[in-house]
Each structure stands twice: as C-alpha cells, then as structure tokens.
Tab-separated table of all heavy atoms in Angstrom:
chain	number	residue	atom	x	y	z
M	240	ARG	N	-14.907	13.721	-8.373
M	240	ARG	CA	-14.488	12.399	-8.171
M	240	ARG	C	-12.972	12.197	-8.075
M	240	ARG	O	-12.231	12.876	-8.926
M	240	ARG	CB	-15.147	11.624	-9.356
M	240	ARG	CG	-14.767	10.075	-9.153
M	240	ARG	CD	-15.562	9.425	-10.337
M	240	ARG	NE	-14.788	8.385	-10.771
M	240	ARG	CZ	-15.225	7.112	-10.883
M	240	ARG	NH1	-16.463	6.779	-10.501
M	240	ARG	NH2	-14.459	6.161	-11.244
M	241	SER	N	-12.512	11.540	-7.219
M	241	SER	CA	-11.044	11.364	-6.994
M	241	SER	C	-10.419	10.525	-8.121
M	241	SER	O	-11.023	9.590	-8.519
M	241	SER	CB	-10.809	10.701	-5.688
M	241	SER	OG	-9.388	10.368	-5.599
M	242	PRO	N	-9.258	10.934	-8.620
M	242	PRO	CA	-8.495	10.089	-9.543
M	242	PRO	C	-7.996	8.820	-8.936
M	242	PRO	O	-7.493	7.974	-9.632
M	242	PRO	CB	-7.424	10.923	-10.111
M	242	PRO	CG	-7.156	11.972	-9.003
M	242	PRO	CD	-8.552	12.124	-8.258
M	243	CYS	N	-7.982	8.719	-7.701
M	243	CYS	CA	-7.441	7.579	-6.931
M	243	CYS	C	-8.268	6.428	-7.053
M	243	CYS	O	-9.544	6.402	-6.821
M	243	CYS	CB	-7.250	7.992	-5.445
M	243	CYS	SG	-6.523	6.629	-4.471
M	244	VAL	N	-7.741	5.323	-7.529
M	244	VAL	CA	-8.487	4.068	-7.751
M	244	VAL	C	-8.447	3.262	-6.408
M	244	VAL	O	-9.442	2.744	-6.043
M	244	VAL	CB	-7.855	3.214	-8.853
M	244	VAL	CG1	-8.413	1.883	-8.961
M	244	VAL	CG2	-7.967	4.061	-10.176
M	245	VAL	N	-7.305	3.225	-5.823
M	245	VAL	CA	-7.196	2.567	-4.503
M	245	VAL	C	-6.124	3.186	-3.652
M	245	VAL	O	-5.171	3.651	-4.129
M	245	VAL	CB	-6.887	1.030	-4.701
M	245	VAL	CG1	-5.531	0.788	-5.363
M	245	VAL	CG2	-6.996	0.236	-3.491
M	246	ALA	N	-6.308	3.230	-2.377
M	246	ALA	CA	-5.335	3.692	-1.397
M	246	ALA	C	-5.367	2.779	-0.192
M	246	ALA	O	-6.351	2.371	0.295
M	246	ALA	CB	-5.662	5.102	-0.964
M	247	ASN	N	-4.106	2.493	0.213
M	247	ASN	CA	-3.948	1.639	1.372
M	247	ASN	C	-3.343	2.509	2.560
M	247	ASN	O	-2.508	3.315	2.254
M	247	ASN	CB	-2.994	0.491	1.172
M	247	ASN	CG	-3.494	-0.529	0.231
M	247	ASN	OD1	-4.753	-0.828	0.359
M	247	ASN	ND2	-2.778	-1.156	-0.516
M	248	PHE	N	-3.854	2.267	3.691
M	248	PHE	CA	-3.430	3.042	4.827
M	248	PHE	C	-2.755	2.058	5.874
M	248	PHE	O	-3.444	1.131	6.246
M	248	PHE	CB	-4.569	3.851	5.508
M	248	PHE	CG	-5.232	4.792	4.555
M	248	PHE	CD1	-6.315	4.433	3.809
M	248	PHE	CD2	-4.614	6.099	4.498
M	248	PHE	CE1	-6.771	5.346	2.962
M	248	PHE	CE2	-5.297	6.984	3.607
M	248	PHE	CZ	-6.301	6.688	2.809
M	249	PHE	N	-1.482	2.289	6.205
M	249	PHE	CA	-0.797	1.411	7.072
M	249	PHE	C	-0.488	2.077	8.429
M	249	PHE	O	-0.397	3.290	8.565
M	249	PHE	CB	0.516	0.986	6.416
M	249	PHE	CG	0.434	0.248	5.121
M	249	PHE	CD1	0.152	0.853	3.910
M	249	PHE	CD2	0.534	-1.169	5.186
M	249	PHE	CE1	0.035	0.077	2.773
M	249	PHE	CE2	0.385	-1.861	4.060
M	249	PHE	CZ	0.069	-1.253	2.828
M	250	LEU	N	-0.363	1.206	9.430
M	250	LEU	CA	0.102	1.656	10.773
M	250	LEU	C	1.397	1.000	11.079
M	250	LEU	O	1.712	-0.100	10.669
M	250	LEU	CB	-0.967	1.290	11.789
M	250	LEU	CG	-2.145	2.087	11.994
M	250	LEU	CD1	-3.070	1.554	13.154
M	250	LEU	CD2	-1.823	3.586	12.273
M	251	VAL	N	2.217	1.813	11.741
M	251	VAL	CA	3.478	1.277	12.268
M	251	VAL	C	3.332	0.316	13.420
M	251	VAL	O	2.580	0.530	14.441
M	251	VAL	CB	4.441	2.373	12.618
M	251	VAL	CG1	5.742	1.820	13.270
M	251	VAL	CG2	4.808	3.254	11.393
M	252	ASP	N	3.875	-0.847	13.335
M	252	ASP	CA	3.942	-1.867	14.500
M	252	ASP	C	5.285	-1.569	15.157
M	252	ASP	O	6.320	-2.178	14.627
M	252	ASP	CB	3.803	-3.226	14.012
M	252	ASP	CG	3.894	-4.303	15.113
M	252	ASP	OD1	4.326	-3.923	16.285
M	252	ASP	OD2	3.547	-5.495	14.877
M	253	PRO	N	5.404	-0.840	16.267
M	253	PRO	CA	6.745	-0.595	16.777
M	253	PRO	C	7.495	-1.794	17.335
M	253	PRO	O	8.686	-1.809	17.274
M	253	PRO	CB	6.449	0.451	17.978
M	253	PRO	CG	5.007	0.555	18.058
M	253	PRO	CD	4.353	-0.136	16.942
M	254	ALA	N	6.724	-2.732	17.720
M	254	ALA	CA	7.400	-3.966	18.329
M	254	ALA	C	8.140	-4.694	17.215
M	254	ALA	O	9.138	-5.334	17.485
M	254	ALA	CB	6.323	-4.917	18.927
M	255	HIS	N	7.571	-4.647	15.907
M	255	HIS	CA	8.218	-5.369	14.837
M	255	HIS	C	8.904	-4.536	13.877
M	255	HIS	O	9.387	-5.028	12.878
M	255	HIS	CB	7.214	-6.296	14.221
M	255	HIS	CG	6.656	-7.342	15.114
M	255	HIS	ND1	5.403	-7.310	15.722
M	255	HIS	CD2	7.209	-8.470	15.582
M	255	HIS	CE1	5.247	-8.302	16.489
M	255	HIS	NE2	6.295	-9.138	16.383
M	256	GLN	N	8.750	-3.195	14.045
M	256	GLN	CA	9.284	-2.199	13.090
M	256	GLN	C	8.831	-2.472	11.621
M	256	GLN	O	9.609	-2.694	10.780
M	256	GLN	CB	10.786	-2.184	13.117
M	256	GLN	CG	11.304	-1.340	14.334
M	256	GLN	CD	10.995	0.100	14.148
M	256	GLN	OE1	11.510	0.840	13.285
M	256	GLN	NE2	10.131	0.633	15.102
M	257	SER	N	7.530	-2.661	11.531
M	257	SER	CA	6.935	-2.901	10.231
M	257	SER	C	5.647	-2.159	10.126
M	257	SER	O	5.092	-1.611	11.158
M	257	SER	CB	6.656	-4.445	10.074
M	257	SER	OG	5.700	-4.783	11.078
M	258	LEU	N	5.179	-2.026	8.839
M	258	LEU	CA	3.942	-1.488	8.589
M	258	LEU	C	2.904	-2.501	8.261
M	258	LEU	O	3.171	-3.496	7.626
M	258	LEU	CB	4.000	-0.567	7.321
M	258	LEU	CG	4.874	0.678	7.336
M	258	LEU	CD1	4.889	1.341	5.923
M	258	LEU	CD2	4.267	1.679	8.278
M	259	ASN	N	1.742	-2.457	8.905
M	259	ASN	CA	0.625	-3.324	8.630
M	259	ASN	C	-0.567	-2.600	8.255
M	259	ASN	O	-0.841	-1.449	8.667
M	259	ASN	CB	0.381	-4.139	9.958
M	259	ASN	CG	1.513	-4.888	10.376
M	259	ASN	OD1	2.054	-5.734	9.611
M	259	ASN	ND2	1.968	-4.689	11.627
M	260	LEU	N	-1.286	-3.166	7.294
M	260	LEU	CA	-2.502	-2.515	6.714
M	260	LEU	C	-3.589	-2.267	7.731
M	260	LEU	O	-3.927	-3.152	8.478
M	260	LEU	CB	-3.065	-3.468	5.602
M	260	LEU	CG	-4.195	-2.878	4.702
M	260	LEU	CD1	-3.660	-1.701	3.933
M	260	LEU	CD2	-4.865	-3.908	3.920
M	261	LEU	N	-4.042	-1.021	7.760
M	261	LEU	CA	-5.119	-0.559	8.700
M	261	LEU	C	-6.427	-0.658	7.891
M	261	LEU	O	-7.399	-1.278	8.315
M	261	LEU	CB	-4.840	0.795	9.148
M	261	LEU	CG	-6.003	1.424	9.938
M	261	LEU	CD1	-6.213	0.620	11.236
M	261	LEU	CD2	-5.766	2.902	10.291
M	262	CYS	N	-6.475	-0.079	6.757
M	262	CYS	CA	-7.736	0.009	5.863
M	262	CYS	C	-7.381	0.329	4.480
M	262	CYS	O	-6.240	0.802	4.169
M	262	CYS	CB	-8.756	0.967	6.476
M	262	CYS	SG	-8.160	2.757	6.405
M	263	THR	N	-8.352	0.062	3.685
M	263	THR	CA	-8.216	0.310	2.207
M	263	THR	C	-9.307	1.215	1.724
M	263	THR	O	-10.474	1.002	2.188
M	263	THR	CB	-8.240	-1.002	1.394
M	263	THR	OG1	-7.025	-1.699	1.844
M	263	THR	CG2	-8.073	-0.704	-0.072
M	264	TYR	N	-8.991	2.189	0.889
M	264	TYR	CA	-10.039	2.997	0.255
M	264	TYR	C	-9.926	2.609	-1.291
M	264	TYR	O	-8.808	2.617	-1.769
M	264	TYR	CB	-9.763	4.479	0.410
M	264	TYR	CG	-10.483	5.397	-0.580
M	264	TYR	CD1	-11.814	5.633	-0.303
M	264	TYR	CD2	-9.823	5.718	-1.803
M	264	TYR	CE1	-12.500	6.501	-1.224
M	264	TYR	CE2	-10.530	6.500	-2.598
M	264	TYR	CZ	-11.869	6.869	-2.428
M	264	TYR	OH	-12.543	7.635	-3.349
M	265	GLY	N	-11.044	2.312	-1.894
M	265	GLY	CA	-10.896	2.042	-3.268
M	265	GLY	C	-12.262	1.738	-3.930
M	265	GLY	O	-13.241	1.646	-3.300
M	266	SER	N	-12.182	1.611	-5.129
M	266	SER	CA	-13.304	1.308	-5.888
M	266	SER	C	-13.730	-0.228	-5.836
M	266	SER	O	-12.991	-0.999	-5.225
M	266	SER	CB	-13.244	1.578	-7.350
M	266	SER	OG	-12.301	0.774	-7.974
M	267	ASP	N	-14.803	-0.613	-6.282
M	267	ASP	CA	-15.221	-2.064	-6.255
M	267	ASP	C	-14.982	-2.727	-7.635
M	267	ASP	O	-15.621	-3.613	-8.004
M	267	ASP	CB	-16.738	-2.133	-5.886
M	267	ASP	CG	-17.633	-1.353	-6.883
M	267	ASP	OD1	-17.096	-0.722	-7.825
M	267	ASP	OD2	-18.873	-1.409	-6.755
M	268	ARG	N	-13.870	-2.184	-8.266
M	268	ARG	CA	-13.564	-2.789	-9.579
M	268	ARG	C	-13.052	-4.254	-9.306
M	268	ARG	O	-12.018	-4.383	-8.571
M	268	ARG	CB	-12.549	-1.966	-10.229
M	268	ARG	CG	-13.101	-0.597	-10.679
M	268	ARG	CD	-12.115	0.394	-11.201
M	268	ARG	NE	-11.091	-0.124	-12.005
M	268	ARG	CZ	-10.094	0.700	-12.451
M	268	ARG	NH1	-10.091	1.920	-12.219
M	268	ARG	NH2	-9.170	0.225	-13.270
M	269	PRO	N	-13.558	-5.228	-9.937
M	269	PRO	CA	-13.132	-6.595	-9.681
M	269	PRO	C	-11.693	-6.924	-10.042
M	269	PRO	O	-10.997	-7.730	-9.358
M	269	PRO	CB	-13.951	-7.382	-10.761
M	269	PRO	CG	-15.133	-6.614	-11.051
M	269	PRO	CD	-14.695	-5.149	-10.879
M	270	GLU	N	-10.991	-6.174	-11.009
M	270	GLU	CA	-9.685	-6.400	-11.337
M	270	GLU	C	-8.752	-5.999	-10.209
M	270	GLU	O	-7.553	-6.388	-10.224
M	270	GLU	CB	-9.311	-5.695	-12.569
M	270	GLU	CG	-9.315	-4.164	-12.554
M	270	GLU	CD	-10.700	-3.587	-12.932
M	270	GLU	OE1	-11.676	-4.311	-12.933
M	270	GLU	OE2	-10.740	-2.417	-13.354
M	271	LEU	N	-9.258	-5.302	-9.148
M	271	LEU	CA	-8.380	-4.892	-8.025
M	271	LEU	C	-8.447	-5.922	-6.862
M	271	LEU	O	-7.570	-5.921	-5.939
M	271	LEU	CB	-8.841	-3.531	-7.472
M	271	LEU	CG	-8.733	-2.374	-8.398
M	271	LEU	CD1	-9.344	-1.132	-7.768
M	271	LEU	CD2	-7.178	-2.135	-8.563
M	272	ASN	N	-9.379	-6.762	-6.941
M	272	ASN	CA	-9.496	-7.850	-5.857
M	272	ASN	C	-8.257	-8.640	-5.484
M	272	ASN	O	-7.913	-8.765	-4.272
M	272	ASN	CB	-10.613	-8.868	-6.099
M	272	ASN	CG	-12.007	-8.087	-6.032
M	272	ASN	OD1	-12.101	-6.944	-5.472
M	272	ASN	ND2	-13.002	-8.653	-6.676
M	273	ARG	N	-7.462	-9.072	-6.467
M	273	ARG	CA	-6.290	-9.832	-6.192
M	273	ARG	C	-5.214	-8.984	-5.505
M	273	ARG	O	-4.581	-9.411	-4.573
M	273	ARG	CB	-5.787	-10.476	-7.459
M	273	ARG	CG	-4.824	-11.607	-7.200
M	273	ARG	CD	-4.525	-12.285	-8.546
M	273	ARG	NE	-3.120	-11.868	-8.828
M	273	ARG	CZ	-2.434	-12.139	-9.970
M	273	ARG	NH1	-3.148	-12.804	-10.876
M	273	ARG	NH2	-1.306	-11.665	-10.200
M	274	PHE	N	-5.049	-7.723	-6.071
M	274	PHE	CA	-4.108	-6.825	-5.448
M	274	PHE	C	-4.504	-6.531	-4.030
M	274	PHE	O	-3.681	-6.604	-3.136
M	274	PHE	CB	-4.037	-5.545	-6.296
M	274	PHE	CG	-3.302	-4.453	-5.634
M	274	PHE	CD1	-1.890	-4.510	-5.583
M	274	PHE	CD2	-3.779	-3.446	-4.956
M	274	PHE	CE1	-1.135	-3.510	-5.075
M	274	PHE	CE2	-3.173	-2.437	-4.307
M	274	PHE	CZ	-1.728	-2.453	-4.330
M	275	LEU	N	-5.748	-6.209	-3.743
M	275	LEU	CA	-6.180	-5.848	-2.359
M	275	LEU	C	-6.059	-7.039	-1.459
M	275	LEU	O	-5.683	-6.900	-0.292
M	275	LEU	CB	-7.627	-5.336	-2.442
M	275	LEU	CG	-7.856	-4.053	-3.241
M	275	LEU	CD1	-9.311	-3.719	-3.365
M	275	LEU	CD2	-7.078	-2.893	-2.540
M	276	ASP	N	-6.446	-8.171	-1.904
M	276	ASP	CA	-6.294	-9.406	-1.043
M	276	ASP	C	-4.767	-9.664	-0.724
M	276	ASP	O	-4.460	-9.923	0.511
M	276	ASP	CB	-6.850	-10.643	-1.828
M	276	ASP	CG	-6.825	-11.882	-0.927
M	276	ASP	OD1	-7.320	-11.764	0.271
M	276	ASP	OD2	-6.317	-12.855	-1.354
M	277	ALA	N	-3.903	-9.535	-1.619
M	277	ALA	CA	-2.487	-9.820	-1.375
M	277	ALA	C	-1.947	-8.736	-0.452
M	277	ALA	O	-1.148	-9.009	0.490
M	277	ALA	CB	-1.704	-9.783	-2.722
M	278	THR	N	-2.338	-7.501	-0.730
M	278	THR	CA	-1.736	-6.357	0.118
M	278	THR	C	-2.186	-6.533	1.570
M	278	THR	O	-1.502	-6.209	2.478
M	278	THR	CB	-2.250	-5.016	-0.460
M	278	THR	OG1	-1.802	-4.954	-1.819
M	278	THR	CG2	-1.689	-3.911	0.319
M	279	SER	N	-3.389	-6.972	1.777
M	279	SER	CA	-3.935	-7.069	3.157
M	279	SER	C	-3.121	-8.091	4.027
M	279	SER	O	-3.214	-8.021	5.252
M	279	SER	CB	-5.395	-7.574	3.103
M	279	SER	OG	-5.477	-8.926	2.753
M	280	LYS	N	-2.375	-8.895	3.383
M	280	LYS	CA	-1.588	-9.976	4.097
M	280	LYS	C	-0.080	-9.621	4.176
M	280	LYS	O	0.695	-10.364	4.806
M	280	LYS	CB	-1.721	-11.339	3.364
M	280	LYS	CG	-3.110	-11.816	3.360
M	280	LYS	CD	-3.268	-13.068	2.553
M	280	LYS	CE	-4.686	-13.521	2.466
M	280	LYS	NZ	-5.179	-13.750	1.114
M	281	MET	N	0.211	-8.407	3.678
M	281	MET	CA	1.649	-8.004	3.678
M	281	MET	C	2.005	-7.116	4.852
M	281	MET	O	1.057	-6.424	5.351
M	281	MET	CB	1.964	-7.299	2.430
M	281	MET	CG	1.879	-8.087	1.258
M	281	MET	SD	2.258	-7.025	-0.225
M	281	MET	CE	2.794	-8.199	-1.406
M	282	SER	N	3.268	-7.148	5.273
M	282	SER	CA	3.730	-6.066	6.088
M	282	SER	C	5.109	-5.588	5.468
M	282	SER	O	5.680	-6.286	4.589
M	282	SER	CB	4.048	-6.672	7.590
M	282	SER	OG	5.042	-7.613	7.538
M	283	PHE	N	5.496	-4.403	5.760
M	283	PHE	CA	6.613	-3.778	5.068
M	283	PHE	C	7.648	-3.166	6.126
M	283	PHE	O	7.246	-2.528	7.141
M	283	PHE	CB	6.170	-2.606	4.173
M	283	PHE	CG	5.203	-3.104	3.078
M	283	PHE	CD1	3.934	-3.146	3.243
M	283	PHE	CD2	5.790	-3.626	1.837
M	283	PHE	CE1	3.019	-3.647	2.218
M	283	PHE	CE2	4.988	-4.056	0.874
M	283	PHE	CZ	3.569	-4.162	1.052
M	284	ALA	N	8.907	-3.471	5.861
M	284	ALA	CA	10.005	-2.836	6.683
M	284	ALA	C	10.203	-1.476	6.065
M	284	ALA	O	9.910	-1.197	4.905
M	284	ALA	CB	11.255	-3.762	6.582
M	285	PRO	N	10.927	-0.621	6.805
M	285	PRO	CA	11.323	0.642	6.239
M	285	PRO	C	12.105	0.513	4.946
M	285	PRO	O	13.082	-0.275	4.930
M	285	PRO	CB	12.168	1.259	7.439
M	285	PRO	CG	11.792	0.609	8.648
M	285	PRO	CD	11.461	-0.833	8.238
M	286	GLY	N	11.663	1.222	3.937
M	286	GLY	CA	12.351	1.194	2.661
M	286	GLY	C	11.939	0.086	1.731
M	286	GLY	O	12.347	0.071	0.523
M	287	VAL	N	11.130	-0.871	2.252
M	287	VAL	CA	10.748	-2.006	1.308
M	287	VAL	C	9.404	-1.786	0.720
M	287	VAL	O	8.349	-1.485	1.420
M	287	VAL	CB	10.798	-3.292	2.195
M	287	VAL	CG1	10.172	-4.434	1.414
M	287	VAL	CG2	12.104	-3.606	2.723
M	288	GLY	N	9.308	-1.880	-0.639
M	288	GLY	CA	8.072	-1.637	-1.280
M	288	GLY	C	7.639	-0.182	-1.236
M	288	GLY	O	8.364	0.630	-0.543
M	289	LEU	N	6.605	0.142	-1.909
M	289	LEU	CA	6.149	1.650	-1.905
M	289	LEU	C	5.705	1.961	-0.480
M	289	LEU	O	6.093	3.078	-0.096
M	289	LEU	CB	4.998	1.678	-2.914
M	289	LEU	CG	4.484	3.045	-3.151
M	289	LEU	CD1	5.578	3.936	-3.824
M	289	LEU	CD2	3.270	3.043	-4.062
M	290	PRO	N	4.962	1.253	0.286
M	290	PRO	CA	4.702	1.574	1.701
M	290	PRO	C	5.952	1.904	2.497
M	290	PRO	O	5.998	2.904	3.284
M	290	PRO	CB	3.771	0.440	2.217
M	290	PRO	CG	3.284	-0.121	1.064
M	290	PRO	CD	4.387	-0.129	-0.002
M	291	GLY	N	6.969	1.029	2.510
M	291	GLY	CA	8.172	1.149	3.129
M	291	GLY	C	8.921	2.371	2.826
M	291	GLY	O	9.580	3.041	3.584
M	292	GLN	N	8.884	2.649	1.532
M	292	GLN	CA	9.633	3.782	0.972
M	292	GLN	C	8.955	5.141	1.546
M	292	GLN	O	9.641	6.079	1.868
M	292	GLN	CB	9.534	3.806	-0.595
M	292	GLN	CG	10.446	2.710	-1.182
M	292	GLN	CD	10.232	2.781	-2.673
M	292	GLN	OE1	9.990	3.647	-3.325
M	292	GLN	NE2	10.416	1.522	-3.240
M	293	ALA	N	7.605	5.079	1.551
M	293	ALA	CA	6.901	6.287	2.055
M	293	ALA	C	7.255	6.471	3.577
M	293	ALA	O	7.482	7.563	3.967
M	293	ALA	CB	5.472	6.135	1.870
M	294	TRP	N	7.270	5.402	4.213
M	294	TRP	CA	7.596	5.423	5.713
M	294	TRP	C	9.057	5.978	5.900
M	294	TRP	O	9.235	6.869	6.685
M	294	TRP	CB	7.490	3.966	6.281
M	294	TRP	CG	7.764	3.879	7.669
M	294	TRP	CD1	7.811	4.851	8.719
M	294	TRP	CD2	8.034	2.635	8.470
M	294	TRP	NE1	7.992	4.318	9.917
M	294	TRP	CE2	8.175	2.979	9.781
M	294	TRP	CE3	8.081	1.337	8.082
M	294	TRP	CZ2	8.428	2.019	10.725
M	294	TRP	CZ3	8.320	0.453	9.043
M	294	TRP	CH2	8.568	0.760	10.337
M	295	ARG	N	10.001	5.406	5.263
M	295	ARG	CA	11.370	5.919	5.235
M	295	ARG	C	11.504	7.404	5.022
M	295	ARG	O	12.220	8.149	5.597
M	295	ARG	CB	12.319	5.013	4.466
M	295	ARG	CG	13.750	5.615	4.520
M	295	ARG	CD	14.692	4.734	3.989
M	295	ARG	NE	15.053	3.655	4.878
M	295	ARG	CZ	15.621	2.533	4.627
M	295	ARG	NH1	15.903	2.180	3.412
M	295	ARG	NH2	15.806	1.611	5.542
M	296	ARG	N	10.866	7.822	3.908
M	296	ARG	CA	10.967	9.280	3.470
M	296	ARG	C	10.082	10.189	4.316
M	296	ARG	O	10.175	11.345	4.192
M	296	ARG	CB	10.517	9.341	2.017
M	296	ARG	CG	11.397	8.643	1.053
M	296	ARG	CD	10.810	8.909	-0.283
M	296	ARG	NE	11.585	8.119	-1.408
M	296	ARG	CZ	11.268	8.144	-2.610
M	296	ARG	NH1	10.278	8.856	-3.033
M	296	ARG	NH2	12.039	7.511	-3.482
M	297	ALA	N	9.042	9.514	4.991
M	297	ALA	CA	8.139	10.346	5.819
M	297	ALA	C	7.284	11.209	4.926
M	297	ALA	O	7.118	12.343	5.168
M	297	ALA	CB	8.787	11.196	6.901
M	298	GLU	N	6.834	10.698	3.758
M	298	GLU	CA	5.992	11.441	2.905
M	298	GLU	C	4.983	10.559	2.160
M	298	GLU	O	5.215	9.190	2.099
M	298	GLU	CB	6.804	12.158	1.817
M	298	GLU	CG	7.695	11.339	0.922
M	298	GLU	CD	8.603	12.099	0.061
M	298	GLU	OE1	9.361	13.040	0.506
M	298	GLU	OE2	8.568	11.833	-1.142
M	299	ILE	N	4.025	11.095	1.633
M	299	ILE	CA	3.008	10.357	0.838
M	299	ILE	C	3.630	10.023	-0.507
M	299	ILE	O	4.186	10.990	-1.146
M	299	ILE	CB	1.704	11.128	0.692
M	299	ILE	CG1	1.013	11.288	2.073
M	299	ILE	CG2	0.768	10.394	-0.289
M	299	ILE	CD1	-0.126	12.188	2.069
M	300	LEU	N	3.529	8.779	-0.947
M	300	LEU	CA	3.960	8.437	-2.350
M	300	LEU	C	2.768	7.970	-3.124
M	300	LEU	O	1.918	7.176	-2.585
M	300	LEU	CB	5.056	7.397	-2.232
M	300	LEU	CG	6.330	7.784	-1.622
M	300	LEU	CD1	7.241	6.499	-1.577
M	300	LEU	CD2	7.019	8.878	-2.258
M	301	ILE	N	2.624	8.463	-4.282
M	301	ILE	CA	1.532	8.084	-5.268
M	301	ILE	C	2.128	7.497	-6.452
M	301	ILE	O	3.106	7.938	-6.962
M	301	ILE	CB	0.750	9.327	-5.673
M	301	ILE	CG1	0.160	9.952	-4.379
M	301	ILE	CG2	-0.403	8.988	-6.529
M	301	ILE	CD1	-0.505	11.372	-4.578
M	302	SER	N	1.507	6.384	-6.871
M	302	SER	CA	2.033	5.635	-7.992
M	302	SER	C	1.035	5.271	-8.949
M	302	SER	O	-0.161	4.946	-8.523
M	302	SER	CB	2.803	4.383	-7.427
M	302	SER	OG	3.235	3.593	-8.452
M	303	ASP	N	1.307	5.150	-10.233
M	303	ASP	CA	0.277	4.560	-11.076
M	303	ASP	C	0.355	3.096	-11.105
M	303	ASP	O	1.223	2.431	-10.427
M	303	ASP	CB	0.459	5.065	-12.560
M	303	ASP	CG	1.798	4.585	-13.160
M	303	ASP	OD1	2.329	3.563	-12.785
M	303	ASP	OD2	2.300	5.282	-14.098
M	304	SER	N	-0.527	2.383	-11.743
M	304	SER	CA	-0.588	0.947	-11.587
M	304	SER	C	0.575	0.178	-12.062
M	304	SER	O	1.014	-0.827	-11.484
M	304	SER	CB	-1.806	0.342	-12.305
M	304	SER	OG	-1.693	0.659	-13.674
M	305	ASN	N	1.296	0.687	-13.126
M	305	ASN	CA	2.520	0.033	-13.576
M	305	ASN	C	3.654	0.058	-12.508
M	305	ASN	O	4.338	-0.801	-12.294
M	305	ASN	CB	3.011	0.605	-14.905
M	305	ASN	CG	1.997	0.437	-15.972
M	305	ASN	OD1	1.335	-0.574	-16.016
M	305	ASN	ND2	1.875	1.385	-16.926
M	306	ALA	N	3.812	1.288	-11.864
M	306	ALA	CA	4.897	1.425	-10.950
M	306	ALA	C	4.619	0.655	-9.634
M	306	ALA	O	5.402	0.039	-8.948
M	306	ALA	CB	5.125	2.902	-10.597
M	307	ALA	N	3.277	0.531	-9.308
M	307	ALA	CA	2.893	-0.255	-8.080
M	307	ALA	C	3.293	-1.714	-8.231
M	307	ALA	O	3.696	-2.311	-7.257
M	307	ALA	CB	1.355	-0.040	-7.878
M	308	THR	N	3.131	-2.266	-9.342
M	308	THR	CA	3.410	-3.646	-9.576
M	308	THR	C	4.965	-3.873	-9.299
M	308	THR	O	5.387	-4.783	-8.676
M	308	THR	CB	3.128	-4.115	-11.017
M	308	THR	OG1	1.751	-3.876	-11.244
M	308	THR	CG2	3.505	-5.558	-11.237
M	309	ALA	N	5.779	-2.854	-9.701
M	309	ALA	CA	7.276	-3.072	-9.539
M	309	ALA	C	7.691	-2.780	-8.048
M	309	ALA	O	8.776	-3.245	-7.662
M	309	ALA	CB	7.959	-2.142	-10.457
M	310	THR	N	6.961	-1.969	-7.350
M	310	THR	CA	7.447	-1.538	-6.011
M	310	THR	C	6.732	-2.389	-4.880
M	310	THR	O	7.177	-2.177	-3.685
M	310	THR	CB	7.102	-0.144	-5.767
M	310	THR	OG1	5.716	0.128	-5.918
M	310	THR	CG2	7.875	0.708	-6.743
M	311	PHE	N	5.808	-3.214	-5.166
M	311	PHE	CA	5.362	-4.159	-4.162
M	311	PHE	C	6.004	-5.516	-4.182
M	311	PHE	O	5.985	-6.059	-5.255
M	311	PHE	CB	3.814	-4.366	-4.231
M	311	PHE	CG	3.002	-3.304	-3.523
M	311	PHE	CD1	2.651	-2.132	-4.144
M	311	PHE	CD2	2.521	-3.505	-2.250
M	311	PHE	CE1	1.933	-1.153	-3.510
M	311	PHE	CE2	1.864	-2.514	-1.645
M	311	PHE	CZ	1.548	-1.336	-2.198
M	312	PRO	N	6.642	-5.872	-3.059
M	312	PRO	CA	7.432	-7.178	-3.288
M	312	PRO	C	6.569	-8.317	-3.533
M	312	PRO	O	5.360	-8.248	-3.322
M	312	PRO	CB	8.038	-7.324	-1.860
M	312	PRO	CG	7.735	-6.067	-1.135
M	312	PRO	CD	6.709	-5.324	-1.876
C-alpha cells in the first residue's frame, strides 16, 4: 500500500504559462474533499505553490500535510 494519501497531476498550459489539474489520485477520506475541491479550481505559475515549485525545478516534490497547507496559495 502506498504511503501517498493524495497526488495531483498537472499539465502545462503553454498559452497561459500555467499548470492546470489533469487528475487526482487519492483515497476517499472525507477530510480531503475540501482540499481536492479547491485544488481542482487552481492553476499555478512557475514557482508558485508546491506544483509551481516542482515545475520550475523540473522535479517531483513530495510534501506532508503540514507543508502542503503552507505551499498552496
């Protein structure tokens, strides 16, 4: 079983230079619903939030729930 509770996969929108949510992998834990709903409506510029940081660095970034709260605008 994976230790990952939730993972979001983003695609680059070259016309707007932003990341937009493609799909989410995660558990059906009810406490995640608000986070998943909010994330589905966000886009990220390079360097902004955890997804934008991963894009700028060109690497996968993994965060625990406390750090994710601080890195999502």
